[in-house]
Amino acid sequence: MRPPVQTRFSLARLLFGADPKLHRMLQYWAATAILYLFFIILLYDGRFESAPHAAPQAMHGLGLYTAGGIAGFYLLVRANRALRLAPTTLAVGQGLFAITCNMWAYSITGPLRGATLMGLMVVVVFCTFALRPRQTLALAFAGLIGMGGTMWWQQAHDPLHYPPAVEGLTFAIMAACSLAVTFLTGEMTKLRTRLTCQREELATALDTIRTLATVDELTALANRRHMNEVLAAEERRQPAPEAGVKPSCLALLDIDFFKQINDRHGHAAGDLVLRGFADAASAELRAGDVLARWGGEEFLLLLPDTAPQAAQAVLARIRARVAALAPPGLALERRITFSAGLCARRGGEAFADTIKRADKALYQAKSAGRDQVVEA
Ligand code: GH3
Ligand code: MG
Ligand code: MG
């Protein structure tokens, strides 16, 4: 039998870890490591032996320095969970290391030294992933100073192989290209940042739209539209409940004499009572129950898998809690009461029909003097 995946030895997991963020950082590292390795192989290829400065010690020195740097940065990135170095610090470190490699390579690669300058562009582009445009610009300047210093040193000490005019021209071209690349990558970073912001704004807007589509603004209960979806989902869950299975109960609740509250205390007071009613009723519900604002001061309550007696008990608890409501700053003449029509869903009855029956029962509760539940 194959051992479970998580206990199996995985070299990739050992080398690159399981964290996706670390994975990505090590992918960048691997990309640069391949580039360095390519340079090392070229250095040892022997084709530069004709170059006057390609002393074998210098080649070995740069080879060792580069390999040591690659290994060192691998360890730093891999152990960064414990070291907690900022990505900026790691990127600057790798950037500066690459610049020193470039300076060294420029000094020993003779007639091909111009090609090594392309490495400087790679440093700038690589660092845009982790650095802000200003920081990338600073690193590009560090590269220019390093390479400029190397060129100056070479033309001052070995003008035969590093003619001052050639070095000067090379430096000017390198400086122009390096600054242009820095500017362009900076623009790309700004574009990326703007896109990220826009994506976040869109996600927030989508969240708001989702909330507005499902939640009643005043009471924070489910709105009528969402309740219809809940009922449709409930019909799909139990298309035709079998005999003996607890039915779903529906209750239509309507606050008594609510218009009087509005008329006597103002619309804001009415809103306060609606919110208080919603909070009080919600406090008595189980996790699976759904209470929605069906319209005005009318609420629809769905109690899934509930016997009518149990539903009556829930409504009695709501009644007691609502009666105890005392909205702050509001001296009501009468306690808040509601009338309700309660129905158990019959077999595979459509909820729309159950609601119609509950509505009739509610009408009866009102006619019979309010503050009561009529079961139909
Ligand atoms: P009954 O006992 O027969 O139910 O009488 P009632 O006064 O509660 O019922 P009626 O249907 O006459 O009045 C309901 C009132 O609810 C009328 C309407 O202005 C008010 N109303 C509806 N929506 C809101 C709201 O969002 N806020 C406030 N403050 N009032 C609302
Ligand atoms: Mg009413
Ligand atoms: Mg009403």
Short mmCIF file of all heavy atoms in Angstrom, two decimals, residues 122-171:
data_model
loop_
_atom_site.label_atom_id
_atom_site.label_comp_id
_atom_site.label_asym_id
_atom_site.label_seq_id
_atom_site.Cartn_x
_atom_site.Cartn_y
_atom_site.Cartn_z
N VAL A 122 18.85 42.87 -15.37
CA VAL A 122 18.10 41.79 -14.71
C VAL A 122 17.91 42.13 -13.23
O VAL A 122 16.83 41.93 -12.67
CB VAL A 122 18.84 40.44 -14.87
CG1 VAL A 122 18.10 39.32 -14.13
CG2 VAL A 122 18.99 40.08 -16.33
N VAL A 123 18.95 42.70 -12.61
CA VAL A 123 18.85 43.07 -11.19
C VAL A 123 17.69 44.05 -10.99
O VAL A 123 16.86 43.88 -10.10
CB VAL A 123 20.18 43.73 -10.71
CG1 VAL A 123 20.03 44.25 -9.29
CG2 VAL A 123 21.32 42.74 -10.79
N VAL A 124 17.61 45.06 -11.84
CA VAL A 124 16.57 46.09 -11.70
C VAL A 124 15.18 45.48 -11.86
O VAL A 124 14.28 45.68 -11.03
CB VAL A 124 16.79 47.22 -12.75
CG1 VAL A 124 15.62 48.18 -12.74
CG2 VAL A 124 18.09 47.95 -12.48
N VAL A 125 15.02 44.67 -12.91
CA VAL A 125 13.70 44.07 -13.17
C VAL A 125 13.33 43.11 -12.03
O VAL A 125 12.20 43.12 -11.53
CB VAL A 125 13.69 43.33 -14.53
CG1 VAL A 125 12.36 42.62 -14.74
CG2 VAL A 125 13.93 44.32 -15.65
N PHE A 126 14.27 42.32 -11.60
CA PHE A 126 14.03 41.34 -10.53
C PHE A 126 13.56 42.05 -9.25
O PHE A 126 12.64 41.59 -8.58
CB PHE A 126 15.34 40.58 -10.27
CG PHE A 126 15.32 39.68 -9.08
CD1 PHE A 126 14.71 38.43 -9.14
CD2 PHE A 126 15.89 40.07 -7.87
CE1 PHE A 126 14.68 37.60 -8.04
CE2 PHE A 126 15.87 39.25 -6.77
CZ PHE A 126 15.26 38.02 -6.85
N CYS A 127 14.21 43.18 -8.96
CA CYS A 127 13.89 43.86 -7.69
C CYS A 127 12.55 44.57 -7.70
O CYS A 127 12.01 44.88 -6.64
CB CYS A 127 15.00 44.83 -7.32
SG CYS A 127 16.44 43.94 -6.72
N THR A 128 11.99 44.83 -8.88
CA THR A 128 10.69 45.51 -8.90
C THR A 128 9.59 44.67 -8.24
O THR A 128 8.58 45.19 -7.82
CB THR A 128 10.22 45.84 -10.33
OG1 THR A 128 10.51 44.73 -11.14
CG2 THR A 128 10.86 47.06 -10.86
N PHE A 129 9.81 43.33 -8.16
CA PHE A 129 8.80 42.49 -7.54
C PHE A 129 8.70 42.75 -6.04
O PHE A 129 7.66 42.56 -5.44
CB PHE A 129 9.10 41.01 -7.78
CG PHE A 129 8.89 40.61 -9.21
CD1 PHE A 129 9.96 40.28 -10.02
CD2 PHE A 129 7.62 40.57 -9.75
CE1 PHE A 129 9.76 39.92 -11.34
CE2 PHE A 129 7.41 40.21 -11.07
CZ PHE A 129 8.49 39.89 -11.87
N ALA A 130 9.82 43.16 -5.44
CA ALA A 130 9.83 43.30 -3.98
C ALA A 130 10.01 44.74 -3.53
O ALA A 130 9.70 45.07 -2.39
CB ALA A 130 10.93 42.43 -3.39
N LEU A 131 10.51 45.61 -4.41
CA LEU A 131 10.85 46.97 -3.97
C LEU A 131 9.89 48.01 -4.53
O LEU A 131 9.27 47.80 -5.58
CB LEU A 131 12.27 47.32 -4.41
CG LEU A 131 13.40 46.41 -3.91
CD1 LEU A 131 14.74 46.96 -4.36
CD2 LEU A 131 13.38 46.28 -2.40
N ARG A 132 9.82 49.13 -3.82
CA ARG A 132 9.04 50.26 -4.34
C ARG A 132 9.89 50.96 -5.40
O ARG A 132 11.12 50.84 -5.38
CB ARG A 132 8.70 51.21 -3.19
CG ARG A 132 7.56 50.69 -2.33
CD ARG A 132 6.96 51.80 -1.50
NE ARG A 132 7.85 52.22 -0.43
CZ ARG A 132 7.90 51.63 0.75
NH1 ARG A 132 7.12 50.62 1.02
NH2 ARG A 132 8.73 52.05 1.68
N PRO A 133 9.24 51.71 -6.33
CA PRO A 133 10.00 52.34 -7.41
C PRO A 133 11.22 53.13 -6.93
O PRO A 133 12.29 53.05 -7.52
CB PRO A 133 8.96 53.26 -8.06
CG PRO A 133 7.67 52.55 -7.84
CD PRO A 133 7.79 51.90 -6.51
N ARG A 134 11.05 53.87 -5.81
CA ARG A 134 12.19 54.67 -5.31
C ARG A 134 13.35 53.77 -4.88
O ARG A 134 14.53 54.09 -5.08
CB ARG A 134 11.76 55.52 -4.12
CG ARG A 134 11.21 56.86 -4.52
CD ARG A 134 10.52 57.52 -3.33
NE ARG A 134 9.80 58.70 -3.76
CZ ARG A 134 10.36 59.89 -3.93
NH1 ARG A 134 11.63 60.05 -3.69
NH2 ARG A 134 9.64 60.92 -4.34
N GLN A 135 12.99 52.66 -4.24
CA GLN A 135 14.03 51.74 -3.77
C GLN A 135 14.75 51.10 -4.96
O GLN A 135 15.97 50.94 -4.94
CB GLN A 135 13.40 50.65 -2.89
CG GLN A 135 12.82 51.19 -1.59
CD GLN A 135 11.99 50.15 -0.87
OE1 GLN A 135 11.23 49.41 -1.48
NE2 GLN A 135 12.12 50.10 0.45
N THR A 136 13.98 50.77 -6.01
CA THR A 136 14.59 50.20 -7.21
C THR A 136 15.54 51.22 -7.83
O THR A 136 16.63 50.88 -8.28
CB THR A 136 13.50 49.80 -8.23
OG1 THR A 136 12.51 49.05 -7.56
CG2 THR A 136 14.07 48.97 -9.34
N LEU A 137 15.10 52.49 -7.83
CA LEU A 137 15.94 53.55 -8.39
C LEU A 137 17.25 53.65 -7.61
O LEU A 137 18.34 53.76 -8.18
CB LEU A 137 15.19 54.88 -8.34
CG LEU A 137 15.86 56.06 -9.03
CD1 LEU A 137 15.91 55.83 -10.53
CD2 LEU A 137 15.11 57.37 -8.75
N ALA A 138 17.15 53.57 -6.27
CA ALA A 138 18.34 53.64 -5.42
C ALA A 138 19.29 52.48 -5.74
O ALA A 138 20.51 52.66 -5.83
CB ALA A 138 17.95 53.62 -3.94
N LEU A 139 18.70 51.29 -5.94
CA LEU A 139 19.52 50.11 -6.25
C LEU A 139 20.18 50.27 -7.63
O LEU A 139 21.34 49.91 -7.82
CB LEU A 139 18.66 48.85 -6.22
CG LEU A 139 19.45 47.58 -6.06
CD1 LEU A 139 19.96 47.43 -4.64
CD2 LEU A 139 18.59 46.37 -6.41
N ALA A 140 19.42 50.85 -8.59
CA ALA A 140 19.99 51.08 -9.92
C ALA A 140 21.17 52.04 -9.82
O ALA A 140 22.21 51.85 -10.47
CB ALA A 140 18.92 51.63 -10.85
N PHE A 141 21.02 53.05 -8.96
CA PHE A 141 22.13 54.00 -8.75
C PHE A 141 23.33 53.29 -8.13
O PHE A 141 24.48 53.53 -8.52
CB PHE A 141 21.70 55.18 -7.87
CG PHE A 141 21.18 56.33 -8.69
CD1 PHE A 141 19.86 56.73 -8.60
CD2 PHE A 141 22.02 57.00 -9.58
CE1 PHE A 141 19.37 57.78 -9.37
CE2 PHE A 141 21.54 58.05 -10.35
CZ PHE A 141 20.22 58.44 -10.25
N ALA A 142 23.06 52.39 -7.18
CA ALA A 142 24.15 51.64 -6.56
C ALA A 142 24.87 50.83 -7.64
O ALA A 142 26.11 50.76 -7.64
CB ALA A 142 23.60 50.71 -5.48
N GLY A 143 24.10 50.25 -8.56
CA GLY A 143 24.68 49.48 -9.66
C GLY A 143 25.55 50.36 -10.54
O GLY A 143 26.66 49.99 -10.93
N LEU A 144 25.04 51.57 -10.83
CA LEU A 144 25.79 52.49 -11.69
C LEU A 144 27.09 52.90 -11.02
O LEU A 144 28.15 52.97 -11.67
CB LEU A 144 24.95 53.73 -11.99
CG LEU A 144 23.80 53.54 -12.99
CD1 LEU A 144 23.11 54.86 -13.28
CD2 LEU A 144 24.34 52.93 -14.28
N ILE A 145 26.99 53.18 -9.70
CA ILE A 145 28.20 53.60 -8.97
C ILE A 145 29.22 52.44 -8.97
O ILE A 145 30.41 52.64 -9.26
CB ILE A 145 27.85 54.03 -7.53
CG1 ILE A 145 27.06 55.33 -7.58
CG2 ILE A 145 29.10 54.19 -6.68
CD1 ILE A 145 26.39 55.71 -6.27
N GLY A 146 28.71 51.22 -8.69
CA GLY A 146 29.61 50.04 -8.65
C GLY A 146 30.27 49.80 -9.99
O GLY A 146 31.49 49.66 -10.10
N MET A 147 29.46 49.77 -11.05
CA MET A 147 30.00 49.48 -12.37
C MET A 147 30.86 50.65 -12.87
O MET A 147 31.92 50.43 -13.47
CB MET A 147 28.86 49.22 -13.36
CG MET A 147 28.05 47.96 -13.10
SD MET A 147 29.04 46.47 -12.90
CE MET A 147 29.80 46.31 -14.50
N GLY A 148 30.38 51.87 -12.59
CA GLY A 148 31.15 53.06 -12.99
C GLY A 148 32.51 53.04 -12.32
O GLY A 148 33.54 53.31 -12.96
N GLY A 149 32.55 52.71 -11.03
CA GLY A 149 33.81 52.64 -10.28
C GLY A 149 34.72 51.58 -10.88
O GLY A 149 35.93 51.82 -11.06
N THR A 150 34.14 50.44 -11.24
CA THR A 150 34.94 49.35 -11.84
C THR A 150 35.55 49.82 -13.16
O THR A 150 36.74 49.62 -13.43
CB THR A 150 34.04 48.12 -12.09
OG1 THR A 150 33.33 47.82 -10.89
CG2 THR A 150 34.85 46.90 -12.50
N MET A 151 34.70 50.46 -13.97
CA MET A 151 35.19 50.93 -15.28
C MET A 151 36.29 51.96 -15.11
O MET A 151 37.29 51.95 -15.82
CB MET A 151 34.02 51.54 -16.07
CG MET A 151 33.03 50.50 -16.55
SD MET A 151 31.57 51.31 -17.19
CE MET A 151 30.64 49.90 -17.70
N TRP A 152 36.06 52.88 -14.17
CA TRP A 152 37.05 53.94 -13.93
C TRP A 152 38.38 53.32 -13.50
O TRP A 152 39.45 53.66 -14.01
CB TRP A 152 36.54 54.90 -12.86
CG TRP A 152 37.56 55.96 -12.55
CD1 TRP A 152 37.77 57.11 -13.24
CD2 TRP A 152 38.52 55.92 -11.50
NE1 TRP A 152 38.82 57.82 -12.71
CE2 TRP A 152 39.30 57.09 -11.62
CE3 TRP A 152 38.82 55.02 -10.48
CZ2 TRP A 152 40.35 57.39 -10.76
CZ3 TRP A 152 39.86 55.31 -9.62
CH2 TRP A 152 40.61 56.48 -9.76
N TRP A 153 38.29 52.38 -12.57
CA TRP A 153 39.48 51.71 -12.04
C TRP A 153 40.25 51.00 -13.18
O TRP A 153 41.45 51.13 -13.31
CB TRP A 153 39.07 50.70 -10.97
CG TRP A 153 40.21 49.87 -10.45
CD1 TRP A 153 40.62 48.66 -10.90
CD2 TRP A 153 41.09 50.21 -9.37
NE1 TRP A 153 41.69 48.21 -10.19
CE2 TRP A 153 42.01 49.14 -9.24
CE3 TRP A 153 41.19 51.31 -8.52
CZ2 TRP A 153 43.02 49.14 -8.28
CZ3 TRP A 153 42.20 51.30 -7.56
CH2 TRP A 153 43.10 50.24 -7.45
N GLN A 154 39.50 50.30 -14.02
CA GLN A 154 40.14 49.54 -15.10
C GLN A 154 40.81 50.46 -16.10
O GLN A 154 41.94 50.21 -16.52
CB GLN A 154 39.10 48.65 -15.81
CG GLN A 154 38.48 47.57 -14.93
CD GLN A 154 39.49 46.49 -14.53
OE1 GLN A 154 40.68 46.58 -14.83
NE2 GLN A 154 39.01 45.48 -13.82
N GLN A 155 40.11 51.52 -16.51
CA GLN A 155 40.71 52.40 -17.51
C GLN A 155 41.89 53.17 -16.94
O GLN A 155 42.82 53.53 -17.66
CB GLN A 155 39.66 53.34 -18.14
CG GLN A 155 38.94 54.30 -17.21
CD GLN A 155 39.71 55.57 -16.97
OE1 GLN A 155 40.40 56.07 -17.87
NE2 GLN A 155 39.63 56.09 -15.74
N ALA A 156 41.89 53.41 -15.60
CA ALA A 156 43.00 54.13 -14.98
C ALA A 156 44.23 53.22 -14.85
O ALA A 156 45.36 53.69 -14.98
CB ALA A 156 42.58 54.66 -13.60
N HIS A 157 44.00 51.92 -14.59
CA HIS A 157 45.12 51.01 -14.34
C HIS A 157 45.54 50.20 -15.56
O HIS A 157 46.64 49.68 -15.60
CB HIS A 157 44.78 50.06 -13.19
CG HIS A 157 44.74 50.76 -11.87
ND1 HIS A 157 43.63 51.44 -11.43
CD2 HIS A 157 45.69 50.93 -10.92
CE1 HIS A 157 43.90 51.99 -10.26
NE2 HIS A 157 45.14 51.71 -9.93
N ASP A 158 44.63 50.03 -16.51
CA ASP A 158 44.97 49.22 -17.69
C ASP A 158 44.35 49.84 -18.93
O ASP A 158 43.45 49.27 -19.55
CB ASP A 158 44.42 47.79 -17.46
CG ASP A 158 44.86 46.84 -18.55
OD1 ASP A 158 45.65 47.27 -19.43
OD2 ASP A 158 44.40 45.68 -18.55
N PRO A 159 44.82 51.06 -19.28
CA PRO A 159 44.18 51.77 -20.40
C PRO A 159 44.33 51.05 -21.73
O PRO A 159 43.54 51.27 -22.64
CB PRO A 159 44.90 53.13 -20.42
CG PRO A 159 46.10 52.98 -19.57
CD PRO A 159 45.91 51.83 -18.65
N LEU A 160 45.29 50.13 -21.80
CA LEU A 160 45.50 49.42 -23.06
C LEU A 160 44.30 48.50 -23.37
O LEU A 160 43.78 48.48 -24.49
CB LEU A 160 46.79 48.58 -22.97
CG LEU A 160 47.22 47.89 -24.27
CD1 LEU A 160 47.57 48.92 -25.35
CD2 LEU A 160 48.39 46.95 -24.02
N HIS A 161 43.90 47.76 -22.34
CA HIS A 161 42.77 46.85 -22.55
C HIS A 161 41.42 47.48 -22.23
O HIS A 161 40.39 46.97 -22.64
CB HIS A 161 42.95 45.57 -21.70
CG HIS A 161 44.15 44.79 -22.10
ND1 HIS A 161 45.32 44.74 -21.35
CD2 HIS A 161 44.40 44.06 -23.22
CE1 HIS A 161 46.21 43.99 -21.96
NE2 HIS A 161 45.68 43.56 -23.11
N TYR A 162 41.45 48.56 -21.47
CA TYR A 162 40.19 49.26 -21.12
C TYR A 162 40.33 50.72 -21.54
O TYR A 162 40.52 51.60 -20.70
CB TYR A 162 39.93 49.18 -19.61
CG TYR A 162 39.58 47.78 -19.12
CD1 TYR A 162 40.58 46.87 -18.79
CD2 TYR A 162 38.25 47.38 -18.99
CE1 TYR A 162 40.28 45.60 -18.35
CE2 TYR A 162 37.94 46.10 -18.55
CZ TYR A 162 38.95 45.21 -18.23
OH TYR A 162 38.64 43.96 -17.80
N PRO A 163 40.29 50.97 -22.86
CA PRO A 163 40.49 52.36 -23.32
C PRO A 163 39.47 53.30 -22.66
O PRO A 163 38.27 52.98 -22.65
CB PRO A 163 40.25 52.27 -24.82
CG PRO A 163 40.33 50.82 -25.17
CD PRO A 163 39.95 50.06 -23.94
N PRO A 164 39.96 54.44 -22.15
CA PRO A 164 39.05 55.37 -21.44
C PRO A 164 37.83 55.77 -22.27
O PRO A 164 36.72 55.81 -21.76
CB PRO A 164 39.95 56.58 -21.14
CG PRO A 164 41.33 56.01 -21.11
CD PRO A 164 41.36 54.87 -22.07
N ALA A 165 38.02 56.01 -23.56
CA ALA A 165 36.88 56.44 -24.39
C ALA A 165 35.83 55.34 -24.46
O ALA A 165 34.62 55.60 -24.34
CB ALA A 165 37.38 56.81 -25.79
N VAL A 166 36.29 54.10 -24.65
CA VAL A 166 35.34 52.97 -24.74
C VAL A 166 34.60 52.80 -23.42
O VAL A 166 33.37 52.62 -23.37
CB VAL A 166 36.10 51.67 -25.11
CG1 VAL A 166 35.17 50.46 -25.02
CG2 VAL A 166 36.70 51.78 -26.50
N GLU A 167 35.37 52.90 -22.33
CA GLU A 167 34.75 52.73 -21.00
C GLU A 167 33.73 53.83 -20.74
O GLU A 167 32.63 53.60 -20.21
CB GLU A 167 35.82 52.72 -19.91
CG GLU A 167 36.74 51.51 -19.94
CD GLU A 167 36.00 50.19 -19.99
OE1 GLU A 167 35.26 49.88 -19.04
OE2 GLU A 167 36.14 49.47 -21.00
N GLY A 168 34.12 55.07 -21.12
CA GLY A 168 33.22 56.21 -20.90
C GLY A 168 31.92 56.03 -21.67
O GLY A 168 30.82 56.22 -21.14
N LEU A 169 32.05 55.62 -22.94
CA LEU A 169 30.88 55.44 -23.78
C LEU A 169 30.00 54.29 -23.24
O LEU A 169 28.77 54.39 -23.18
CB LEU A 169 31.35 55.12 -25.21
CG LEU A 169 30.43 55.56 -26.33
CD1 LEU A 169 30.22 57.06 -26.29
CD2 LEU A 169 31.00 55.13 -27.68
N THR A 170 30.67 53.21 -22.87
CA THR A 170 29.95 52.05 -22.33
C THR A 170 29.16 52.47 -21.09
O THR A 170 27.99 52.10 -20.91
CB THR A 170 30.93 50.91 -21.96
OG1 THR A 170 31.75 50.66 -23.08
CG2 THR A 170 30.18 49.65 -21.57
N PHE A 171 29.85 53.27 -20.25
CA PHE A 171 29.16 53.70 -19.02
C PHE A 171 27.93 54.54 -19.35
O PHE A 171 26.86 54.38 -18.76
CB PHE A 171 30.12 54.49 -18.12
CG PHE A 171 29.44 54.97 -16.86
CD1 PHE A 171 29.21 54.09 -15.81
CD2 PHE A 171 28.98 56.29 -16.74
CE1 PHE A 171 28.56 54.52 -14.67
CE2 PHE A 171 28.33 56.71 -15.61
CZ PHE A 171 28.12 55.83 -14.56
#
